[in-house]
């Protein structure tokens, strides 16, 4: 029998092949999706990893992605950075992030709340961007909060990395340690 | 200073144990502005003192000036603390020295209007400007507080230039520094010990004089019988800054709570201290901050140089003390992690904005909450993990001030030469002229989360005053309920201040700790 993890990897490679638009995985390295690592992270589960690997490229945009490629930073670094941030949050905030990620993964809720596709892995960049926009513009404060949480986690993780600083022309601290 | 790490009086509870059967004369919970000042004064009067701090002991050698390291190491909840509805980001320190280790060094005396209001409306006695003056003088000397003689960095100069152009008041900010190299990284811990925070002044002095510093130790609750606290319970804190489940006992004859606003009321609430008028944790104020980003024609490099050196009080009392909310204008330093994550857009529009990063100036307005009946502040609650959470609801009274401040800041930025400006609001657009900015800002609807608000000044929640009807502790800081407990930190304030709070906390704690040492001797 396929394990849940194998199933997810399988669905990444097969579904993506059939999808019409630019599957998000095409923006980053396909291997990233295929090498989801169980037990590597303190907080992120297998499905959280897939979720962030799908959403983060859209939250960041091409310019950010290209810079990391040029700098030889593996895109999966974003997962480590996000994981490191979350484990220092209060227990309550960690639970809130968990609930948010579960809602996003849960298909039924996804159809209801995010009103989009059937699986994160076959969603194309436009669809994910639409989902982010819907949450951002919604009159429901809960969705605005969800947007803010995802946006801040991903953007803060990206700019915490020295290799990202040339994008914003930040020379770094005057004293190097 | 770094040698303190090896000092025999330092106990790291995440790996060490407490001395057995030791009963301290005084235990101080929290090593920030209030706790640091109190520790030195109490130990110098001959009392045996322990300082309990939930943060770790980090010093200049640990400060890498890197946000990725500084926020988890030095801030409550790794800088992710927000009010209950996520409307306001709340910044507080969690390390030896508390928020003073990461603050931006602005040092103002309490406005006379604020002190008068406390005495007239909140029944606080002993804190007129005259009565506090000698204490201000003492700490100003001790922490080398004086107006910053070096020219302001460009970020601050823009505020000064804009204010002068419009005929608004503007002045230079006094700072608590000695040998400051004008680096601009105060918020990540000063790498050269120039900032005269509690980390490099009162805490080492207290430890040298015999105080015991217990770090990575969260005070969970007070154990009391009748009106006497018998001991306190501590939990060790792990490497991810989470309190472990185990509890250890620390015995003392007197407890001083200096865990800061939010922190101090949380300890009283966890301890289920009798609170018949439900005052504990109420009236917690934030100086909510609203801000406008400006794209300037020349590089500003708002990440370098003393973070705050210019302020304008043009609007601080714009409608008297108790009318419409007044606000103080200052600027924040801008570093990439915090600077990028508060721009509420994503994708290419976000990275295109970030390309202008060195050209960014930001102005901020800190709104003086708590002086009007419509400004009741927030309420500290305990969540299901028994950890504190602040429920602070923005209302029409606050939003009126936000709108007014956004307009003033935008006008000032154009007067100083901004190419375009953009308030921190999800629905805001760039505006390239002052009239366009005015129309845009007037059309913005203010709503929780859509309007970005921040706070680095958490105050109140354990108000002092003469009457138990409206205060948790008396005007000497002593609990109205317990015989052997005082509060000495920013949670004492019955309202916000209208100025950055550290100097007020230093002076009030110095006065009250001196009184306490007399009583305990
Ligand atoms: C980024 C930033 C910039 C600032 N800039 C300025 C400025 O320029 N000028 C100014 O005047 N003010 C500034 N402030 C605010 C100022 O530093 C604080 O108002 C002041 O330090 C508060 O003093 P306090 O004693 O009330 O609490 P804190 O200084 O915050 O100290 C409280 C301490 O108690 C500890 N604690 C909490 N709960 C527990 C517990 N249960 N057990 C054990 N320990 C506990 C905390 O870890 C913390 O170390 C700034 C604050 C921040 C965060
Ligand atoms: S600006 Fe001065 S006080 Fe602040 S971190 Fe730099 S050297 Fe230290």
């Amino acid at each position: 029998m396929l394990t849940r993890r194998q199933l997810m990897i399988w669905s990444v490679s097969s579904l993506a092949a059939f999808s019409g638009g630019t599957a998000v995985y095409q923006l980053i390295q396909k291997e990233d999706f295929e090498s989801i690592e169980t037990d590597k992270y303190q907080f992120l589960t297998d499905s959280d990893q897939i979720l962030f690997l799908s959403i983060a490229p859209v939250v960041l945009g091409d310019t950010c992605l290209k810079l990391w490629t040029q700098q030889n930073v593996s895109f999966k670094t974003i997962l480590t950075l996000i994981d490191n941030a979350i484990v220092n949050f209060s227990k309550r905030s960690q639970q809130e992030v968990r609930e948010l990620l579960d809602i996003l993964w849960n298909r039924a809720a996804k159809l209801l709340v995010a009103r989009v596709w059937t699986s994160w892995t076959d969603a194309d960049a436009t669809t994910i961007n639409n989902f982010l926009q819907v949450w951002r513009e919604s009159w429901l404060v809960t969705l605005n909060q969800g947007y803010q949480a995802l946006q801040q986690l991903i953007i803060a993780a990206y700019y915490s990395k020295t290799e990202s600083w040339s994008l914003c022309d930040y020379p770094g601290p005057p004293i190097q340690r | 200073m770094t040698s303190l790490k090896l000092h025999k009086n330092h106990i790291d509870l995440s790996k060490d144990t407490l001395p057995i059967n030791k009963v301290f004369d005084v235990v101080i919970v929290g090593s920030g502005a209030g706790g640091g000042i109190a520790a030195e004064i109490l130990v110098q009067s001959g009392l045996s003192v322990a300082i309990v701090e939930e943060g770790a002991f980090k010093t200049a050698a640990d400060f890498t000036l890197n946000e990725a390291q500084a926020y988890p190491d030095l801030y409550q909840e790794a800088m992710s603390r927000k009010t209950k509805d996520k409307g306001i980001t709340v910044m507080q320190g969690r390390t030896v020295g508390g928020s003073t280790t990461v603050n931006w060094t602005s040092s103002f005396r309490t406005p006379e209007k604020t002190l008068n209001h406390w005495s007239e409306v909140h029944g606080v006695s002993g804190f007129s400007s005259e009565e506090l003056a000698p204490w201000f003088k003492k700490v100003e000397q001790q922490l080398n507080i004086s107006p910053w003689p070096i020219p302001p960095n460009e970020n601050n100069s823009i505020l000064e230039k804009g204010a002068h152009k419009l005929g608004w008041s503007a002045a230079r900010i006094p700072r608590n520094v000695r040998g400051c190299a004008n680096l601009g990284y105060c918020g990540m811990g000063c790498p050269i010990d120039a900032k005269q925070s509690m980390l490099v002044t009162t805490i080492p002095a207290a430890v040298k004089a015999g105080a015991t510093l217990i770090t990575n130790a969260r005070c969970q609750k007070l154990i009391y019988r009748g009106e006497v606290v018998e001991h306190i319970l501590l939990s060790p804190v792990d490497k991810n800054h989470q309190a472990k489940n185990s509890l250890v006992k620390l015995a003392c004859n007197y407890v001083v709570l200096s865990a800061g606003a939010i922190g101090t009321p949380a300890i009283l609430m966890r301890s289920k201290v009798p609170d018949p008028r439900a005052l504990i944790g109420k009236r917690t104020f934030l100086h909510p901050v609203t801000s406008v980003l400006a794209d300037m024609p020349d590089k500003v490099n708002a990440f370098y140089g003393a973070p705050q050196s210019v302020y304008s009080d043009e609007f601080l009392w714009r409608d008297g003390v108790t009318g419409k909310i007044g606000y103080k204008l200052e600027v924040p330093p801008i570093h990439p992690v915090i600077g990028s994550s508060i721009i509420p857009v994503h994708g290419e529009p976000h990275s295109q904005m970030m390309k202008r990063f060195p050209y960014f100036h930001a102005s901020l307005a800190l709104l003086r909450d708590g002086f009007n009946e419509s400004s009741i502040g927030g309420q500290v609650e305990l969540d299901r993990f028994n950890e504190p959470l602040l429920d602070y609801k923005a209302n029409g009274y606050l939003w009126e001030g936000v709108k007014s401040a956004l307009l003033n800041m935008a006008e000032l930025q154009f007067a100083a030469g901004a190419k375009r400006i953009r308030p921190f609001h999800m629905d805001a657009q760039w505006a390239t002229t002052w009239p366009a900015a005015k129309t845009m800002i007037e059309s913005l609807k203010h709503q929780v989360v859509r309007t970005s608000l921040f706070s680095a000044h958490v105050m109140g929640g354990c108000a002092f005053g003469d009457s138990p009807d409206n205060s948790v502790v008396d005007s000497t800081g002593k609990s109205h309920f317990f015989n052997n407990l005082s509060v000495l930190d920013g949670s004492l304030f019955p309202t916000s201040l209208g100025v950055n709070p550290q100097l007020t906390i230093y002076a009030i704690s110095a006065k009250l700790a001196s009184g306490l040492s007399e009583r305990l001797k």
Side-chain angles (χ1 to χ4, degrees):
Chain A
M1 221 179 91
L2 286 172
T3 63
R4 178 171 151 76
R5 176 169 159 263
Q6 285 167 325
L7 193 69
M8 285 190 300
I9 292 169
W10 176 81
S11 69
V12 174
S13 24
S14 59
L15 283 174
F18 293 107
S19 74
T22 318
V24 171
Y25 88 92
Q26 285 172 289
L27 297 174
I28 57 173
Q29 297 299 311
K30 188 173 163 205
E31 299 83 72
D32 286 340
F33 268 137
E34 288 178 349
S35 56
I36 297 299
E37 289 159 279
T38 310
D39 296 335
K40 177 171 178 200
Y41 302 99
Q42 297 183 75
F43 180 89
L44 298 182
T45 63
D46 293 8
S47 40
D48 298 341
Q49 294 175 49
I50 293 194
L51 202 66
F52 277 114
L53 288 175
S54 307
I55 296 178
V58 183
V59 169
L60 294 169
D62 279 349
T63 310
C64 291
L65 300 181
K66 278 197 193 116
L67 178 63
W68 271 18
T69 310
Q70 276 164 21
Q71 303 268 1
N72 286 325
V73 181
S74 151
F75 189 68
K76 282 178 73 180
T77 311
I78 203 87
L79 297 178
T80 311
L81 296 167
I82 291 172
D83 194 62
N84 287 345
I86 297 175
V87 293
N88 285 292
F89 289 1
S90 69
K91 294 186 186 110
R92 178 189 63 258
S93 301
Q94 293 194 28
Q95 199 173 56
E96 285 169 0
V97 176
R98 164 69 34 242
E99 282 161 14
L100 172 66
L101 298 179
D102 287 351
I103 283 176
L104 290 173
W105 191 261
N106 175 295
R107 183 179 295 201
K110 194 165 58 201
L111 289 171
L112 280 172
V113 185
R115 289 193 284 142
V116 272
W117 57 96
T118 49
S119 166
W120 283 101
T121 48
D122 68 336
D124 60 58
T126 316
T127 317
I128 292 188
N129 191 46
N130 287 345
F131 143 74
L132 290 167
Q133 257 345 93
V134 167
W135 277 36
R136 186 182 189 276
E137 302 311 328
S138 172
W139 54 271
L140 276 175
V141 177
T142 328
L143 298 191
N144 299 163
Q145 291 166 340
Y147 171 81
Q148 188 193 52
L150 292 171
Q151 188 260 8
Q152 292 190 341
L153 265 173
I154 294 166
I155 301 244
Y158 184 85
Y159 285 97
S160 69
K161 195 91 185 122
T162 317
E163 285 86 344
S164 310
W165 294 345
S166 63
L167 190 155
C168 61
D169 205 2
Y170 171 60
I175 298 179
Q176 302 295 337
R177 287 205 155 128
Chain B
M1 178 58 209
T2 348
S3 63
L4 223 158
K5 258 194 170 144
L6 306 169
H7 203 284
K8 63 177 173 19
N9 291 355
H10 173 219
I11 297 171
D12 175 348
L13 201 63
S14 68
K15 45 179 201 267
D16 308 328
T17 51
L18 292 180
I20 304 163
N21 292 335
K22 168 101 183 156
V23 181
F24 288 94
D25 291 330
V26 185
V27 165
I28 300 171
V29 179
S31 64
I37 291 282
E40 187 183 14
I41 292 172
L42 293 171
V43 80
Q44 278 172 354
S45 73
L47 297 159
S48 69
V49 172
I51 308 156
V52 172
E53 169 56 55
E54 70 173 324
F57 185 65
K58 302 274 179 189
T59 64
D62 303 308
F63 301 149
T64 59
L65 312 190
N66 213 318
E67 293 173 280
Q69 169 265 328
Y71 299 156
D73 271 7
L74 308 177
Y75 283 79
Q76 289 291 353
E77 302 179 34
M79 186 75 111
S80 73
R81 182 168 272 188
K82 288 191 160 116
T83 48
K84 191 176 184 181
D85 62 13
K86 311 276 184 286
I88 310 179
T89 299
V90 178
M91 297 188 260
Q92 287 182 290
R94 189 212 46 229
T95 185
V96 172
S99 304
T100 75
T101 301
V102 293
N103 80 17
W104 300 341
T105 72
S106 300
S107 306
F108 295 97
R109 289 191 180 194
T110 329
E112 191 163 4
K113 290 189 175 78
T114 301
L115 294 173
N116 290 342
H117 181 78
W118 287 3
S119 139
E120 288 157 17
V121 179
H122 295 277
V124 176
S125 53
F127 290 93
S128 64
S129 286
E130 297 73 48
E131 284 161 308
L132 263 183
W135 300 98
F136 281 132
K137 223 166 154 187
K138 175 178 145 53
V139 286
E140 282 162 357
Q141 259 165 17
Q142 182 179 8
L143 306 178
N144 208 37
I145 292 173
S146 50
W148 179 232
I150 311 285
N153 69 0
E154 188 55 22
N155 199 28
N156 282 276
S157 295
I158 291 166
L159 179 65
E160 193 168 66
K161 195 158 107 191
H164 285 163
K165 277 255 171 74
L166 296 168
W168 299 349
S169 71
R172 300 284 169 91
I173 297 182
R175 305 182 62 222
N176 58 324
V177 293
R178 192 170 261 135
C180 166
N182 206 15
L183 300 175
Y185 286 71
C186 304
M188 296 170 222
C190 179
I192 58 167
D193 282 349
K195 173 164 50 174
Q196 300 298 290
S197 66
M198 299 301 96
L199 174 66
V200 305
T201 57
T202 55
I203 298 287
V207 170
K208 211 166 157 204
T212 301
L213 176 65
I214 308 170
T215 59
N216 284 320
R218 178 174 302 166
C219 171
Q220 294 291 15
K221 51 168 94 166
L222 316 165
I223 302 299
Y224 51 93
R225 183 176 304 177
E227 282 101 58
V228 177
V229 181
E230 295 189 321
H231 59 265
I232 67 174
L233 293 177
L234 307 181
S235 291
V237 172
D238 70 17
K239 67 172 186 355
N240 291 336
H241 314 289
Q242 311 293 340
K244 298 184 190 170
N245 285 332
S246 54
L247 290 170
V248 289
K249 202 166 128 176
L250 183 64
C252 57
N253 296 320
Y254 203 95
V255 177
V256 171
L257 293 182
S258 302
I262 298 183
T264 286
I267 294 169
L268 294 173
M269 291 166 83
R270 279 197 291 262
S271 312
K272 301 201 165 46
V273 172
D275 180 23
R277 293 168 198 83
L279 297 170
I280 298 173
K282 284 247 167 64
R283 293 186 65 81
T284 298
F285 298 105
L286 293 174
H287 279 161
V289 162
T290 177
S291 180
V292 183
L293 190 64
D295 190 354
M296 303 304 292
D298 300 311
K299 277 195 175 173
V300 177
N301 292 341
F303 32 84
Y304 292 152
Q308 296 191 313
S309 50
V310 174
Y311 71 99
S312 169
D313 278 351
E314 185 68 23
F315 306 100
L316 188 55
W317 311 100
R318 67 184 171 122
D319 191 26
V321 176
T322 58
K324 287 183 196 162
I325 197 162
Y327 41 89
K328 189 178 191 78
L329 300 182
E330 294 175 351
V331 308
I334 313 177
H335 291 98
V337 172
I338 186 100
S340 63
S341 58
I342 63 175
I343 297 176
V345 299
H346 67 270
E348 281 309 295
H350 189 278
S351 49
Q352 291 315 311
M353 270 176 79
M354 286 304 286
K355 288 194 169 154
R356 296 290 300 169
F357 187 68
Y359 296 83
F360 285 164
H361 152 86
S363 308
L364 65 78
L366 35 104
L367 292 112
R368 185 172 52 78
D369 51 347
F371 290 78
N372 178 286
E373 278 173 10
S374 306
S375 188
I376 59 167
Q379 160 76 59
V380 177
E381 296 175 359
L382 295 177
D383 67 15
R384 51 188 168 280
F385 301 100
N386 247 342
E387 289 174 7
L389 170 66
L390 180 66
D391 185 12
Y392 189 109
K393 293 191 178 71
N395 59 10
Y397 175 78
L398 184 73
W399 293 135
E400 183 282 328
V402 167
K403 176 168 284 186
S404 171
L406 291 176
L407 286 167
N408 294 147
M409 290 188 281
E411 184 177 14
L412 177 142
Q413 291 170 334
F414 282 114
K419 290 200 327 189
R420 49 180 195 158
I421 68 94
R422 192 179 191 284
F424 283 95
H425 188 299
M426 277 189 172
D427 304 324
Q429 306 293 329
W430 284 108
T432 51
T433 63
W434 162 229
K438 192 162 180 279
T439 312
M440 186 254 297
I441 292 170
E442 276 168 353
S443 74
L444 287 177
K445 286 207 175 52
H446 292 292
Q447 187 186 313
V448 60
V449 181
R450 302 204 79 73
T451 310
S452 309
L453 295 176
F454 312 90
S455 169
H457 300 166
V458 195
M459 298 158 282
C462 274
F464 66 164
D466 295 337
S467 162
D469 287 337
N470 64 353
S471 58
V472 178
V473 300
D474 67 22
S475 292
T476 72
K478 193 189 93 47
S479 163
H480 285 305
F481 179 77
F482 290 117
N483 296 332
N484 64 338
L485 181 138
S486 290
V487 172
L488 297 182
D489 61 22
S491 66
L492 289 172
F493 303 169
T495 64
S496 74
L497 301 176
V499 291
N500 311 45
Q502 67 168 343
L503 182 51
T504 303
I505 301 173
Y506 297 144
I508 291 180
S509 292
K511 181 173 191 285
L512 296 183
S514 298
L516 179 62
S517 72
E518 289 301 316
R519 292 209 302 279
L520 294 181
K521 253 198 268 178

